[in-house]
Amino acid sequence: VPFLQRCIQLLFLPIHVLVCLGLWDSFYKKVFPYIMATVAPIYNHKVYKQKRELFSNLRKFAGPSGQLTLLEIGTGTGTNFQFYPPGCRLTCTDPNPNFRKFLLKSLSENRHLKLEHLMVASGEDLHQIRDGTVDVVVCTLVLCSVTNIKKVLTEVLRVLRLGGAFYFLEHVAADHSSWTYFWQKVCDPVWKYFGDGCSLSGETQKELEKTNFSELNLRRIHVTPYWIPTSPHIIGYAVK
């Protein structure tokens, strides 16, 4: 694996140099939203059935007022908006401010939602949101690219009210004995350059299991095409 990793890094040596010089990140953060605006609808089409099923019970976590207060971490281009119930009070966070115009476009196409806050913030630091004030937190294809999953999940627990839920859909590490995992490890160092810090071999399920949720509903799925390193996923929700 280390030998193949070095071979791939040599192929992308110019980008590696830009990373070392600190020039790649600022450039790619401007480009990445345009890439996601193209890729996200394709991905959404593939997992439409799974997402519709996942978010079908959001309403049951609404607070006493009957309105659902929902926080989405790493909102990106807003591809999940179509699955949220009408009247949902929405707070969006993303560490990349360049997603803003794409997110606002998605909101204009989903007028059944009410945007309350739009914040530039990482999942590891949600200090602008008070403790226990959120009914539901949503996080899809985000935990693979955060710097510290444990900190994100700690923040999720803090902002959720008792009885609130955390919804997730994430690509994860394959079975360690599989060829898919082998190629995940080989491609990981370079993949992070193009996935804005995304890791192919994250053990997100283990972190969820270690977090102090009262209930964890999780299953593994594969997204087509099955041969690509991002095919293995986990999907489900956890209750505080």
Side-chain angles (χ1 to χ4, degrees):
V1 169
F3 171 74
L4 289 174
Q5 285 178 337
R6 290 186 180 93
C7 289
I8 292 177
Q9 283 176 321
L10 280 173
L11 288 173
F12 293 94
L13 185 59
I15 293 175
H16 185 64
V17 171
L18 289 173
V19 171
C20 292
L21 293 174
L23 301 174
W24 178 256
D25 190 57
S26 58
F27 162 74
Y28 197 68
K29 282 195 179 301
K30 294 178 181 178
V31 174
F32 190 56
Y34 289 91
I35 295 173
M36 290 307 297
T38 302
V39 173
I42 299 170
Y43 175 82
N44 232 25
H45 178 72
K46 291 181 179 180
V47 296
Y48 180 84
K49 181 180 177 181
Q50 290 90 341
K51 277 192 175 184
R52 186 177 60 182
E53 180 184 352
L54 173 66
F55 294 125
S56 63
N57 67 344
L58 280 173
R59 285 184 181 278
K60 81 172 189 177
F61 293 104
S65 67
Q67 278 194 310
L68 183 72
T69 303
L70 189 150
L71 163 68
E72 183 166 357
I73 299 173
T75 309
T77 59
T79 55
N80 291 327
F81 291 167
Q82 63 181 294
F83 301 100
Y84 298 158
C88 180
R89 296 165 56 193
L90 186 63
T91 296
C92 298
T93 71
D94 201 289
N96 188 343
N98 298 299
F99 272 112
R100 181 182 176 89
K101 71 175 184 179
F102 298 99
L103 187 150
L104 292 176
K105 180 177 182 293
S106 291
L107 277 171
S108 69
E109 296 167 353
N110 291 275
R111 297 188 179 277
H112 64 288
L113 302 177
K114 179 183 178 183
L115 179 66
E116 295 206 327
H117 303 287
L118 177 55
M119 300 182 295
V120 177
S122 69
E124 292 92 338
D125 184 10
L126 301 171
H127 69 273
Q128 299 174 68
I129 302 172
R130 291 182 292 116
D131 297 6
T133 56
V134 177
D135 297 319
V136 167
V137 177
V138 173
C139 194
T140 61
L141 301 186
V142 171
L143 296 178
C144 57
S145 59
V146 300
T147 56
N148 191 316
I149 294 180
K150 183 178 180 181
K151 279 188 177 180
V152 175
L153 295 178
T154 299
E155 281 289 80
V156 168
L157 277 177
R158 180 184 66 79
V159 302
L160 275 176
R161 64 169 177 80
L162 189 62
F166 172 57
Y167 283 72
F168 54 87
L169 171 62
E170 300 285 339
H171 70 80
V172 293
D175 184 278
H176 288 202
S177 63
S178 68
W179 277 106
T180 302
Y181 183 72
F182 172 83
W183 287 111
Q184 284 179 332
K185 297 300 288 184
V186 168
C187 297
D188 236 349
V190 172
W191 189 270
K192 291 179 181 180
Y193 300 159
F194 299 100
D196 201 17
C198 173
S199 172
L200 291 167
S201 55
E203 301 286 354
T204 307
Q205 180 173 344
K206 291 181 181 179
E207 292 298 330
L208 283 165
E209 290 169 348
K210 289 189 291 185
T211 305
N212 192 30
F213 289 109
S214 64
E215 178 186 339
L216 177 60
N217 302 278
L218 179 152
R219 63 188 178 96
R220 297 182 72 92
I221 62 172
H222 283 79
V223 176
T224 57
Y226 300 127
W227 54 267
I228 63 172
T230 55
S231 177
H233 279 58
I234 56 171
I235 185 171
Y237 67 95
V239 181
K240 179 176 177 180

